[in-house]
Amino acid sequence: MSGNTFGTLFRVTTFGESHGPGLGGVVDGCPSNIPLDEATIQKELDRRKPGQGYGATARKEDDRVVIQSGVFEGKTTGTPIGFSIANSDHRSADYGKIKNTFRPGHGDYTYQAKYGIRDYRGGGRSSGRETVSRVAAGAIAQEYLYTLGIKVLAYTVELGGIQATDFVPTGMLDRPFFAADPAVVPRWEQRIDEVRKQQDTLGGIVKITAQGLPPGLGEPVFDKLDARLAAAVMSVGAVKGVSLGAGFEAARLLGSENNDPLTPQGFASNNAGGILAGISSGQEIIIHAAIKPIPSIAKEQQTIDVHGKACTISIGGRHDICAIPRVVPVLKAMVCLTLADMLLIQKTRA
Amino acid sequence: MSGNTFGTLFRVTTFGESHGPGLGGVVDGCPSNIPLDEATIQKELDRRKPGQGYGATARKEDDRVVIQSGVFEGKTTGTPIGFSIANSDHRSADYGKIKNTFRPGHGDYTYQAKYGIRDYRGGGRSSGRETVSRVAAGAIAQEYLYTLGIKVLAYTVELGGIQATDFVPTGMLDRPFFAADPAVVPRWEQRIDEVRKQQDTLGGIVKITAQGLPPGLGEPVFDKLDARLAAAVMSVGAVKGVSLGAGFEAARLLGSENNDPLTPQGFASNNAGGILAGISSGQEIIIHAAIKPIPSIAKEQQTIDVHGKACTISIGGRHDICAIPRVVPVLKAMVCLTLADMLLIQKTRA
Amino acid sequence: MSGNTFGTLFRVTTFGESHGPGLGGVVDGCPSNIPLDEATIQKELDRRKPGQGYGATARKEDDRVVIQSGVFEGKTTGTPIGFSIANSDHRSADYGKIKNTFRPGHGDYTYQAKYGIRDYRGGGRSSGRETVSRVAAGAIAQEYLYTLGIKVLAYTVELGGIQATDFVPTGMLDRPFFAADPAVVPRWEQRIDEVRKQQDTLGGIVKITAQGLPPGLGEPVFDKLDARLAAAVMSVGAVKGVSLGAGFEAARLLGSENNDPLTPQGFASNNAGGILAGISSGQEIIIHAAIKPIPSIAKEQQTIDVHGKACTISIGGRHDICAIPRVVPVLKAMVCLTLADMLLIQKTRA
Amino acid sequence: MSGNTFGTLFRVTTFGESHGPGLGGVVDGCPSNIPLDEATIQKELDRRKPGQGYGATARKEDDRVVIQSGVFEGKTTGTPIGFSIANSDHRSADYGKIKNTFRPGHGDYTYQAKYGIRDYRGGGRSSGRETVSRVAAGAIAQEYLYTLGIKVLAYTVELGGIQATDFVPTGMLDRPFFAADPAVVPRWEQRIDEVRKQQDTLGGIVKITAQGLPPGLGEPVFDKLDARLAAAVMSVGAVKGVSLGAGFEAARLLGSENNDPLTPQGFASNNAGGILAGISSGQEIIIHAAIKPIPSIAKEQQTIDVHGKACTISIGGRHDICAIPRVVPVLKAMVCLTLADMLLIQKTRA
């Protein structure tokens, strides 16, 4: 384990920071003969970019993906798929002031402690910018899932403490915040405006689902499907909690309430979130992820400098008020990558 | 990934089912010259055994661990530590009736779907019995952590919807349910009694903490410390949710509330749960795990048989009402194993 | 990587030393529904035991394998297969004298340097005794290969510098040294006798072949089939060289001599040893392994003690004159394990 | 295992084919604060390029490496080091004729069998062109080794059956073929000329050594240092055999001849090639690799087309007569990568 590779058979290895020539990655193990082109990946990258509705910054990140290898005449060849995205917007001037100060809630202090050196420009590798490579790789995984009739969705069910009605989120891709329900959008926009005026930030809850999965995915006892999904989701920067199916509510149910009865027509409920004993049951996978508020706030905060001396910091500039909606395509990508990997492993089991 | 190995450098591989000659595992990568004997492991196994207070079964599991290799004159040698625990209580008669029926909430259906064959005796590998190997391995990891001054605790903060006061849980090892607070125990015992009479079961919430950790553990971007811990905790049978620090509550806080200010004396709060940008900060690690109610209930349930025909099932026998307290030492073990692994990896980073 | 696990999908993790309660391992990832019982594994173990013809010691190692888990009603279940072999012949008295001396050609010095501690009884983990677990695991892999019509053979083609005629080695399993050709056996026996009188030891060359393999196995560019096989073979104690097909002779051929022409009936020769560009071609796999002479010799040798002081050592006792024939079943096992793993991986590629 | 990642802690993942926009890779796990710049990597790439003396093609490959990430102010930061090399010389016209024919000795047939699709332009991923990424990554590993005083050398000791005197190869970097001995160069050049006229190709033997290694590297029993090195070397395209120390000759020595006596001043000989029981002894590591003749020959050969019909092929164009000297820097790179990885692992052992 070196930290920047995800997966066992369907694997992605990523690189890149907020500054420097570019970002990218290598998808290795994607089955051959899967249709793939740059436009398919680009579509997912475009969903991640800033300016996607309220709460997002005005920063320009014109992320163009280039496929470097592994695709021939519109199909994957089974060899590693290299992809790259140039860093076009270097913004060095904005970040000079944080060279000597540890920002609360950021990785400045811990990266320095871990490596004894820190690329302070824009957070370096700890910046959310690394997720561009996750989204690109996830788009490749998604193409593989499509060939099997599997569909992964991600959308926002709570923002700033305000819950959306969570029904089948038709049309959520065209909606600000990838909101589960259009009716909640004006309330979320209003809440964002309030918090912006307070120079503060907000969190929320994202739901990710997968439909069309066969039963049998997951590798007990340590690489159960829920364990893999939890790691995938929790590896995304702002996530502080993850649950399957009924989640923390399951801790308050009786066994007779929580168990999903089996019937000749299928399961009668889905408190399990599509996973039993760590193995997919064929029901819909249901995941919730808790997203913390963005730590970069304009409001003045107490902190210390690199010499350990107390000081204050106000983080201005072009920052988002909420990681949502940018984190939504990232979470979807991580679930796609996990499922692609588990599907390949299951091919070898029986 | 084959599912039964956990960790990269400090690794455990386990085997064994509820039936058959025995269970055990191999701990590979444990540093040499760590003091270790069977009594140390046995002490942790004894904490996991049934009959540990209310809600537990009267089943006899006299689990005696034998160290097969890797220890010489009371110290680890750096070679693999094989350990075994014989299955003394086979109980075959009890389980024959579930041969042809899928129990709701259990892995019967999904194991059959995954492997096309199923050891129906006692759930086979999907039985909670496999966790005996986790506890033994975790006890070895814990010995390594002790040499570094690191201490991991696990205790119960909620049971059947009734919360304990969560202060420093001194003495919880001697208490039923490993309860955070002695005052809550009578209320939990009463709740267990009620639910037993209803032929039903209960869940709860377990908190796991780690103190004494250096800053720097965790391998961004995919093997962040929180991602590894989430996978470790979620890999345990009854767990449906996991969170770090403020967890799902963080989704409702403002940035200014959630950020932990840095001061010359250390962090002023710990909403992060000891992890920033996926790397330990040196603060206490705080994890919560949601435990679902045990799916084996005496109350009659709807289900199907192996031919897909509707039927009912009542699961009698010597079953627990609540996975707590048995899951508590298992969760502690998984956190110990994760931290030991991340500590070794961090030795190679700078 | 922790050193005692082999393989990615079809994996074995082993433990055990020359002394201590026992040895064993865990085979994880074996497909379900493969017929398996203890007798099948025992048969391979019996081929490895001492007393198999000339050059072998009279030591008694009555190695009885016990399957601990993963097999139900005569078939694998897909869950980990734990197996164990008790150490019945402890021989502690024989080894006390090497406590303070580093034996030339052995791992005494390097184990001490690596781990700062050393189980000096019989070499501990560096003893050839660990290979009992390899043979047991290889027997399980072989059962899987049989279901696909794949057959792996290993036999001796040179001993003490005397080459056997290497034709199809029918009947070699019943022959001393697993000799390729019965005609060479008396000459090898005579050479062994001479060298025994000189208080010295001998090496040789073992050939391993695999027939019935489909084309397509191997994972370029780093896990090519030949790279995986080389690692597998070289991981066995006494091996100092490994080659594929024409091997070192290929370095002296012209391209037109070394290339294997393709014809509508198949390849016209097999200098490649069944592997092209790291991928199996469907031809027979041909491997040669160079086995060094056993380092334990009765003749007096120069060495140092644990304090670095010069001294001499004569290693008496019940030692083999040649690692052949004991290493032959071990090499076969390692090739079986490698092929089983690569077959599973290839299931996921297209 | 997905095939395009090498190493456990010091890891490289590569991508790229003979055609397409470019090649590159990601080095993950390189310790932080190692001095690194593009010029250092470029120097090694320049050693690999064609036109390095006799036997090499006139093809222009102006390979310029760009570091994309992981280096800040001239030092590694501990985050993944992305690097890229653009493909500037596409040569598509040259390769169209092999679209429908399998070249003997090449991966055309096996790639098609494995993946069901094949990028026929220049061999795609099976082309030696992928080694440019190995050399770049190896240069990074070498920088890490330098900080520890470890030096890896690779040079040619035999070509076309003509052996060089193998003494300390001072100055071999400035010499055609990276020849061990300048005196042999004219004879090798003459042999190349003869073989070129015959429209044929040649192989040879490369020696790789490592000096300054501490004792203790290598992870028994499966990831012994010699097993890892064998896999690393054998993963390079043209290699058909690999040996450590006395290698295949060890099979013909007596134990008393082959054992390296220990003295207070160190080992008295080095038949072991610096490795005992799979662990480095502190002596020089000695590896030999057998290089087959290049399979692309101008001479007419028998083969089949993609429909299985017999045909002939003459491979003209700008091809090398011998993989040496181009493979020499590649082998050095693979050894550097292996040693860097094993050094990091050993940091965690005691």
Side-chain angles (χ1 to χ4, degrees):
Chain A
M1 186 209 312
S2 278
N4 296 286
T5 296
F6 183 86
T8 295
L9 291 176
F10 194 110
R11 291 158 75 95
V12 61
T13 302
T14 69
F15 65 87
E17 284 121 11
S18 52
H19 292 67
L23 305 98
V26 187
V27 169
D28 197 12
C30 182
S32 55
N33 281 305
I34 306 295
L36 187 69
D37 58 20
E38 288 172 354
T40 302
I41 302 175
Q42 192 63 49
K43 197 167 60 180
E44 293 296 322
L45 286 185
D46 290 348
R47 288 200 176 118
R48 181 197 160 278
K49 77 178 172 192
Q52 291 292 79
Y54 254 76
T57 71
R59 234 176 9 219
K60 183 175 166 295
E61 290 188 28
D62 196 8
D63 292 328
R64 306 306 305 175
V65 70
V66 177
I67 296 177
Q68 298 284 339
S69 63
V71 178
F72 182 54
E73 298 182 343
K75 287 182 181 169
T76 59
T77 62
T79 60
I81 304 167
F83 62 86
S84 60
I85 299 109
N87 263 332
S88 54
D89 180 7
H90 285 295
R91 294 157 285 167
S92 292
D94 295 295
Y95 291 101
K97 61 183 175 184
I98 61 166
K99 177 178 178 180
N100 295 312
T101 313
F102 296 130
R103 292 169 297 167
H106 277 279
D108 299 341
Y109 174 78
T110 53
Y111 266 70
Q112 185 69 41
K114 181 173 186 65
Y115 298 112
I117 184 174
R118 172 171 69 101
D119 182 350
Y120 50 77
R121 299 168 304 168
R125 185 70 175 160
S126 75
S127 162
R129 182 126 182 83
E130 58 90 0
T131 60
V132 75
S133 298
R134 301 187 189 228
V135 172
I140 298 171
Q142 182 173 249
E143 288 307 288
Y144 172 54
L145 299 183
Y146 280 161
T147 67
L148 303 168
I150 297 164
K151 189 159 185 188
V152 177
L153 293 179
Y155 47 96
T156 309
V157 294
E158 184 178 316
L159 193 147
I162 302 166
Q163 287 188 300
T165 309
D166 176 16
F167 53 93
V168 184
T170 317
M172 60 80 187
L173 282 180
D174 303 323
R175 213 171 279 156
F177 312 106
F178 303 105
D181 171 17
V184 82
V185 170
R187 295 173 60 207
W188 288 355
E189 290 177 341
Q190 185 184 345
R191 184 75 185 115
I192 291 269
D193 282 340
E194 288 169 13
V195 167
R196 179 180 285 118
K197 281 175 201 148
Q198 297 166 27
Q199 302 190 306
D200 221 322
T201 56
L202 282 176
I205 296 179
V206 174
K207 183 175 178 179
I208 312 108
T209 65
Q211 293 170 323
L213 222 58
L217 306 194
E219 300 302 320
V221 294
F222 296 119
D223 296 303
K224 292 175 172 173
L225 183 53
D226 33 5
R228 290 292 95 210
L229 287 167
V233 165
M234 193 68 96
S235 78
V236 176
V239 177
K240 296 304 287 183
V242 58
S243 71
L244 268 290
F248 277 79
E249 275 314 298
R252 285 138 199 167
L253 298 177
L254 294 174
S256 60
E257 295 167 333
N258 186 61
N259 282 351
D260 302 311
L262 288 88
T263 78
Q265 292 74 43
F267 291 90
S269 57
N270 192 7
N271 285 316
I275 300 174
L276 280 169
I279 300 171
S280 67
S281 66
Q283 281 195 286
E284 185 182 47
I285 303 290
I286 300 172
I287 306 163
H288 286 85
I291 313 299
K292 74 172 185 180
I294 284 180
S296 293
I297 60 177
K299 192 180 270 190
E300 192 179 86
Q301 298 179 85
Q302 294 299 317
T303 189
I304 55 173
D305 66 19
V306 295
H307 308 294
K309 226 183 103 186
C311 60
T312 62
I313 190 167
S314 302
I315 303 168
R318 301 160 304 173
H319 286 285
D320 293 342
I321 300 302
C322 185
I324 295 168
R326 299 188 72 179
V327 81
V328 172
V330 179
L331 291 171
K332 181 178 124 174
M334 293 311 298
V335 170
C336 287
L337 286 165
T338 304
L339 296 179
D341 196 34
M342 301 312 271
L343 280 158
L344 291 186
I345 294 172
Q346 174 59 8
K347 281 193 178 190
T348 72
R349 289 306 181 218
Chain B
M1 188 208 313
S2 278
N4 297 287
T5 296
F6 184 86
T8 295
L9 290 177
F10 194 111
R11 290 158 77 95
V12 61
T13 301
T14 70
F15 65 87
E17 284 121 13
S18 53
H19 292 67
L23 305 97
V26 188
V27 169
D28 197 12
C30 182
S32 55
N33 281 307
I34 306 295
L36 188 69
D37 58 20
E38 289 173 353
T40 302
I41 303 175
Q42 192 63 49
K43 197 167 61 178
E44 293 296 321
L45 286 184
D46 291 347
R47 290 201 174 117
R48 179 197 163 277
K49 78 177 173 192
Q52 291 291 78
Y54 254 76
T57 71
R59 233 170 17 211
K60 183 175 166 293
E61 290 186 29
D62 196 8
D63 293 327
R64 305 306 305 174
V65 71
V66 177
I67 295 176
Q68 299 283 339
S69 63
V71 178
F72 182 55
E73 298 182 343
K75 288 182 180 169
T76 60
T77 61
T79 62
I81 304 166
F83 63 86
S84 59
I85 300 110
N87 264 330
S88 53
D89 180 8
H90 285 294
R91 295 157 286 164
S92 290
D94 295 295
Y95 292 100
K97 62 182 174 183
I98 61 166
K99 177 177 176 181
N100 296 312
T101 313
F102 297 129
R103 293 169 296 167
H106 276 280
D108 300 343
Y109 174 78
T110 52
Y111 266 69
Q112 185 67 42
K114 181 174 187 68
Y115 298 112
I117 184 173
R118 173 171 68 102
D119 182 349
Y120 50 77
R121 301 168 302 169
R125 184 70 175 160
S126 74
S127 161
R129 180 125 183 85
E130 57 92 358
T131 59
V132 74
S133 299
R134 300 186 191 229
V135 171
I140 298 171
Q142 183 173 249
E143 288 307 289
Y144 172 54
L145 298 183
Y146 280 162
T147 68
L148 302 169
I150 298 165
K151 188 159 187 189
V152 176
L153 293 179
Y155 49 96
T156 309
V157 294
E158 184 177 316
L159 193 148
I162 302 167
Q163 287 187 301
T165 308
D166 177 15
F167 52 95
V168 184
T170 316
M172 60 80 189
L173 283 179
D174 303 322
R175 212 170 280 157
F177 313 105
F178 302 104
D181 171 18
V184 84
V185 171
R187 296 174 60 205
W188 287 356
E189 290 177 342
Q190 185 185 345
R191 185 74 186 119
I192 291 270
D193 282 340
E194 288 167 12
V195 166
R196 179 179 286 118
K197 280 174 200 148
Q198 298 166 26
Q199 302 190 306
D200 221 321
T201 55
L202 283 176
I205 296 178
V206 174
K207 181 174 178 178
I208 311 108
T209 64
Q211 293 170 322
L213 223 57
L217 307 193
E219 300 302 319
V221 295
F222 296 119
D223 296 302
K224 290 174 174 175
L225 182 54
D226 34 6
R228 290 292 95 210
L229 288 168
V233 165
M234 194 69 98
S235 79
V236 176
V239 177
K240 296 303 286 183
V242 58
S243 71
L244 267 290
F248 277 78
E249 275 313 299
R252 285 139 198 165
L253 297 176
L254 295 174
S256 59
E257 294 167 334
N258 187 60
N259 283 351
D260 301 312
L262 288 90
T263 78
Q265 292 74 40
F267 291 90
S269 58
N270 191 7
N271 286 315
I275 301 175
L276 280 170
I279 300 171
S280 67
S281 67
Q283 281 195 287
E284 186 182 43
I285 303 290
I286 300 172
I287 306 164
H288 286 85
I291 314 299
K292 73 172 185 179
I294 284 179
S296 293
I297 61 177
K299 191 178 271 189
E300 192 177 86
Q301 300 178 84
Q302 296 298 315
T303 188
I304 57 174
D305 66 19
V306 294
H307 309 293
K309 227 182 103 186
C311 61
T312 61
I313 190 167
S314 300
I315 304 167
R318 302 163 300 175
H319 286 285
D320 294 340
I321 300 303
C322 184
I324 294 168
R326 299 188 71 179
V327 81
V328 172
V330 179
L331 291 172
K332 180 178 124 175
M334 294 310 298
V335 170
C336 286
L337 286 165
T338 306
L339 295 180
D341 196 34
M342 302 313 270
L343 279 158
L344 291 186
I345 295 172
Q346 175 58 10
K347 280 193 179 191
T348 72
R349 289 308 182 219
Chain C
M1 186 210 311
S2 278
N4 296 287
T5 295
F6 184 85
T8 296
L9 291 176
F10 195 109
R11 290 158 76 94
V12 61
T13 302
T14 70
F15 65 87
E17 284 122 12
S18 53
H19 291 67
L23 305 96
V26 187
V27 169
D28 197 13
C30 182
S32 55
N33 281 306
I34 306 295
L36 187 69
D37 58 20
E38 288 173 353
T40 302
I41 302 175
Q42 192 63 49
K43 196 167 60 178
E44 293 295 322
L45 285 185
D46 291 347
R47 289 199 176 117
R48 180 195 162 279
K49 77 177 173 192
Q52 291 291 80
Y54 254 76
T57 71
R59 238 178 0 220
K60 183 175 166 294
E61 291 186 28
D62 197 8
D63 293 328
R64 306 306 305 175
V65 71
V66 177
I67 296 177
Q68 298 283 340
S69 63
V71 178
F72 182 55
E73 297 182 344
K75 287 181 181 169
T76 59
T77 61
T79 61
I81 304 166
F83 62 86
S84 59
I85 299 109
N87 264 331
S88 53
D89 180 6
H90 284 293
R91 294 156 285 165
S92 291
D94 295 295
Y95 292 101
K97 63 182 173 184
I98 61 168
K99 177 178 176 179
N100 295 312
T101 314
F102 297 130
R103 292 169 297 166
H106 276 280
D108 300 342
Y109 174 77
T110 53
Y111 267 70
Q112 185 68 41
K114 182 173 186 64
Y115 299 112
I117 185 174
R118 172 171 69 102
D119 182 351
Y120 49 77
R121 299 168 303 168
R125 185 72 175 157
S126 75
S127 162
R129 182 125 182 84
E130 59 90 359
T131 60
V132 74
S133 299
R134 299 186 191 230
V135 172
I140 298 172
Q142 184 174 247
E143 289 307 289
Y144 171 54
L145 298 183
Y146 281 161
T147 67
L148 303 169
I150 297 165
K151 189 159 186 188
V152 177
L153 293 179
Y155 48 95
T156 309
V157 295
E158 183 177 316
L159 192 149
I162 302 166
Q163 288 188 300
T165 309
D166 176 16
F167 53 93
V168 185
T170 316
M172 59 81 188
L173 283 180
D174 304 322
R175 213 170 281 155
F177 313 105
F178 304 105
D181 171 18
V184 83
V185 171
R187 296 174 60 208
W188 288 356
E189 290 176 342
Q190 186 184 344
R191 185 73 186 120
I192 291 269
D193 282 341
E194 289 168 13
V195 167
R196 179 180 286 117
K197 281 174 200 148
Q198 298 166 27
Q199 302 189 306
D200 221 320
T201 56
L202 282 177
I205 296 179
V206 174
K207 182 174 178 177
I208 312 109
T209 65
Q211 292 170 324
L213 222 58
L217 306 194
E219 300 301 320
V221 296
F222 296 118
D223 296 302
K224 291 175 172 173
L225 182 53
D226 34 5
R228 289 291 95 209
L229 288 167
V233 165
M234 193 68 95
S235 77
V236 176
V239 177
K240 295 305 286 183
V242 58
S243 71
L244 269 289
F248 277 80
E249 275 315 298
R252 285 140 197 165
L253 298 176
L254 295 174
S256 60
E257 294 166 335
N258 186 61
N259 282 350
D260 302 311
L262 288 90
T263 78
Q265 293 75 41
F267 291 90
S269 57
N270 192 7
N271 286 315
I275 299 174
L276 280 169
I279 300 171
S280 67
S281 67
Q283 282 195 286
E284 185 181 47
I285 303 290
I286 300 172
I287 306 164
H288 286 85
I291 313 299
K292 73 171 186 179
I294 284 180
S296 293
I297 60 177
K299 191 179 271 189
E300 192 178 87
Q301 300 179 83
Q302 296 298 318
T303 189
I304 57 173
D305 66 18
V306 294
H307 308 294
K309 228 184 101 187
C311 61
T312 62
I313 189 167
S314 301
I315 303 167
R318 302 161 301 173
H319 286 286
D320 294 340
I321 300 302
C322 185
I324 293 167
R326 299 189 71 180
V327 80
V328 172
V330 179
L331 291 171
K332 181 179 125 174
M334 293 311 298
V335 170
C336 287
L337 286 165
T338 305
L339 296 179
D341 196 34
M342 301 312 270
L343 280 158
L344 292 186
I345 295 173
Q346 175 58 8
K347 282 192 178 192
T348 72
R349 288 309 180 217
Chain D
M1 188 207 313
S2 279
N4 296 286
T5 297
F6 184 85
T8 295
L9 290 177
F10 195 110
R11 291 158 77 95
V12 61
T13 301
T14 70
F15 66 88
E17 284 121 14
S18 53
H19 292 67
L23 306 97
V26 188
V27 169
D28 198 11
C30 181
S32 56
N33 281 308
I34 306 296
L36 187 70
D37 57 22
E38 289 173 352
T40 302
I41 303 175
Q42 191 63 48
K43 196 167 61 179
E44 293 297 320
L45 286 184
D46 291 347
R47 289 200 175 117
R48 181 197 161 277
K49 76 177 174 191
Q52 292 291 78
Y54 253 77
T57 70
R59 230 169 21 211
K60 184 176 165 292
E61 290 186 28
D62 197 8
D63 293 328
R64 305 307 305 175
V65 70
V66 177
I67 296 176
Q68 298 284 338
S69 63
V71 177
F72 182 54
E73 299 183 342
K75 288 182 179 168
T76 60
T77 62
T79 61
I81 304 166
F83 62 86
S84 60
I85 300 108
N87 263 331
S88 52
D89 179 8
H90 285 293
R91 294 156 286 165
S92 291
D94 295 294
Y95 291 101
K97 62 182 176 184
I98 62 167
K99 176 178 176 180
N100 296 311
T101 313
F102 296 129
R103 292 169 298 168
H106 277 279
D108 300 343
Y109 174 77
T110 53
Y111 266 71
Q112 184 68 41
K114 181 173 188 66
Y115 299 112
I117 183 173
R118 172 171 68 101
D119 182 349
Y120 49 78
R121 299 168 304 168
R125 185 70 175 160
S126 75
S127 162
R129 181 123 183 86
E130 58 92 359
T131 59
V132 74
S133 299
R134 300 187 191 229
V135 171
I140 298 171
Q142 182 173 249
E143 289 306 290
Y144 171 56
L145 299 183
Y146 280 161
T147 67
L148 303 168
I150 297 165
K151 189 159 187 189
V152 177
L153 293 179
Y155 48 95
T156 310
V157 294
E158 183 177 317
L159 191 148
I162 302 166
Q163 288 188 300
T165 309
D166 176 17
F167 53 93
V168 184
T170 315
M172 59 80 189
L173 283 180
D174 304 321
R175 214 169 279 157
F177 313 105
F178 303 104
D181 170 18
V184 83
V185 171
R187 295 174 61 206
W188 287 357
E189 290 177 341
Q190 185 185 345
R191 185 74 186 118
I192 291 269
D193 282 340
E194 288 168 14
V195 167
R196 179 179 285 120
K197 281 173 199 148
Q198 298 166 26
Q199 302 189 307
D200 221 321
T201 56
L202 283 176
I205 296 178
V206 174
K207 182 175 178 178
I208 312 107
T209 65
Q211 293 171 322
L213 224 56
L217 306 195
E219 301 301 319
V221 294
F222 296 118
D223 295 303
K224 291 174 173 174
L225 182 55
D226 34 5
R228 290 292 94 210
L229 287 168
V233 165
M234 194 67 97
S235 78
V236 176
V239 177
K240 295 304 286 182
V242 59
S243 71
L244 269 289
F248 277 79
E249 275 313 298
R252 284 139 199 164
L253 298 176
L254 295 173
S256 60
E257 294 166 335
N258 187 60
N259 283 350
D260 302 311
L262 288 89
T263 77
Q265 292 73 43
F267 291 90
S269 57
N270 191 7
N271 285 316
I275 300 175
L276 280 169
I279 299 171
S280 66
S281 67
Q283 281 195 288
E284 185 181 45
I285 303 290
I286 300 172
I287 307 163
H288 286 85
I291 313 299
K292 74 172 185 179
I294 284 180
S296 294
I297 61 177
K299 192 179 272 190
E300 192 178 86
Q301 299 178 86
Q302 295 299 315
T303 190
I304 56 172
D305 66 17
V306 293
H307 309 293
K309 229 183 100 186
C311 61
T312 62
I313 189 168
S314 301
I315 303 168
R318 302 161 303 174
H319 286 285
D320 294 341
I321 300 303
C322 185
I324 294 167
R326 298 189 71 179
V327 81
V328 172
V330 179
L331 292 171
K332 180 178 124 176
M334 293 311 297
V335 170
C336 287
L337 286 165
T338 305
L339 296 180
D341 197 32
M342 302 312 270
L343 280 158
L344 291 186
I345 294 173
Q346 175 59 9
K347 281 192 180 191
T348 72
R349 288 308 180 219

